[in-house]
Amino acid sequence: DTGVSQDPRHKITKRGQNVTFRCDPISEHNRLYWYRQTLGQGPEFLTYFQNEAQLEKSRLLSDRFSAERPKGSFSTLEIQRTEQGDSAMYLCASSLVLRTGLYEQYFGPGTRLTVT
Amino acid sequence: KNQVEQSPQSLIILEGKNCTLQCNYTVSPFSNLRWYKQDTGRGPVSLTIMTFSENTKSNGRYTATLDADTKQSSLHITASQLSDSASYICVVSASTDKLIFGTGTRLQVFP
């Protein structure tokens, strides 16, 4: 499978614990994005990388959240001291520039986080 | 504030019927509008991308329209199939790839 992969698919953790998610983008894509999606809502942008550089972070990304993309390949999203409000689906996407100059984003299956 | 609103919130139709989903946006400046299909528990999959100069684009049984003057878009699904049951999300971009998502329309197709 050459699509975007995410690991784990599901994570249940207790409030206050730290969690880390991994995203492996499509190999030739240089842009990688993280989104958060709560039930019944559309995804909300968290941050994105071009190669290894983190170019933008949303206000949603509090200081408990950190994302990295060492060597411009896979990315990790860490949440420290999890809170119940962090329960959501965390989606990763990678993108390729089209002939039109637009970026087509390909999404992974997501990591469902439940904080108890 | 940049916003994307979709209607209806949910829709139930019988297999074989057509349906139309609506999207209104207030994103400025406008770069492009996309429709995504999201199956339950999966990531969104792109159906169409339209720039301001395009007013219609088709992908199989899916046809999207765009009126950049009124800032409205629609997604028409023809001859629905059970596999069309999913959430359909309208996404507007103010730059080449920064996306603003609507809350989606949940479509259920029954036999």
Side-chain angles (χ1 to χ4, degrees):
Chain A
D1 187 351
T2 56
V4 178
S5 61
Q6 293 187 244
D7 183 70
R9 294 292 308 277
H10 304 274
K11 178 72 177 177
I12 300 174
T13 190
K14 293 185 177 179
R15 189 176 55 199
Q17 298 295 304
N18 299 342
V19 294
T20 300
F21 310 141
R22 177 180 170 124
C23 171
D24 286 272
I26 296 172
S27 59
E28 63 268 28
H29 290 185
N30 64 350
R31 288 196 175 187
L32 184 149
Y33 312 78
W34 285 99
Y35 294 87
R36 182 173 69 186
Q37 185 176 25
T38 53
L39 201 61
Q41 301 296 314
E44 295 174 293
F45 170 79
L46 292 178
T47 187
Y48 91 94
F49 294 82
Q50 178 150 322
N51 300 314
E52 65 275 12
Q54 189 173 17
L55 297 186
E56 188 170 349
K57 292 194 294 186
S58 162
R59 292 191 308 271
L60 295 173
L61 212 65
S62 75
D63 56 6
R64 297 185 296 106
F65 288 70
S66 62
E68 294 182 343
R69 194 183 182 197
K71 303 178 184 178
S73 55
F74 72 92
S75 176
T76 58
L77 178 69
E78 181 184 14
I79 309 174
Q80 296 182 326
R81 305 181 304 280
T82 52
E83 302 172 355
Q84 286 187 319
D86 297 331
S87 296
M89 174 80 86
Y90 289 84
L91 292 164
C92 174
S94 66
S95 72
L96 179 68
V97 63
L98 304 173
R99 287 183 294 112
T100 57
L102 301 178
Y103 283 83
E104 174 66 273
Q105 294 193 20
Y106 295 83
F107 284 82
T111 294
R112 166 82 55 197
L113 173 66
T114 302
V115 181
T116 61
Chain B
K1 181 181 178 182
N2 289 330
Q3 279 189 316
V4 179
E5 297 181 343
Q6 293 186 241
S7 62
Q9 190 173 19
S10 61
L11 184 62
I12 297 174
I13 62 173
L14 293 177
E15 187 178 14
K17 298 297 186 183
N18 304 336
C19 66
T20 301
L21 314 180
Q22 302 291 341
C23 173
N24 297 327
Y25 61 92
T26 57
V27 177
S28 181
F30 173 83
S31 172
N32 58 86
L33 185 144
R34 309 163 189 232
W35 283 93
Y36 281 83
K37 178 185 179 186
Q38 186 174 24
D39 293 314
T40 301
R42 307 298 298 270
V45 175
S46 179
L47 295 175
T48 63
I49 302 176
M50 291 184 289
T51 62
F52 70 90
S53 61
E54 299 173 288
N55 54 26
T56 187
K57 182 163 281 188
S58 292
N59 177 1
R61 294 179 297 100
Y62 302 102
T63 299
T65 65
L66 172 64
D67 185 334
D69 291 331
T70 62
K71 299 186 177 181
Q72 296 180 325
S73 176
S74 66
L75 179 70
H76 186 74
I77 303 175
T78 304
S80 60
Q81 300 176 358
L82 298 179
S83 60
D84 292 332
S85 294
S87 288
Y88 291 84
I89 306 176
C90 176
V91 185
V92 180
S93 179
S95 62
T96 54
D97 72 331
K98 185 173 182 180
L99 306 181
I100 300 166
F101 289 76
T103 56
T105 292
R106 175 69 184 161
L107 175 66
Q108 293 178 277
V109 181
F110 285 104

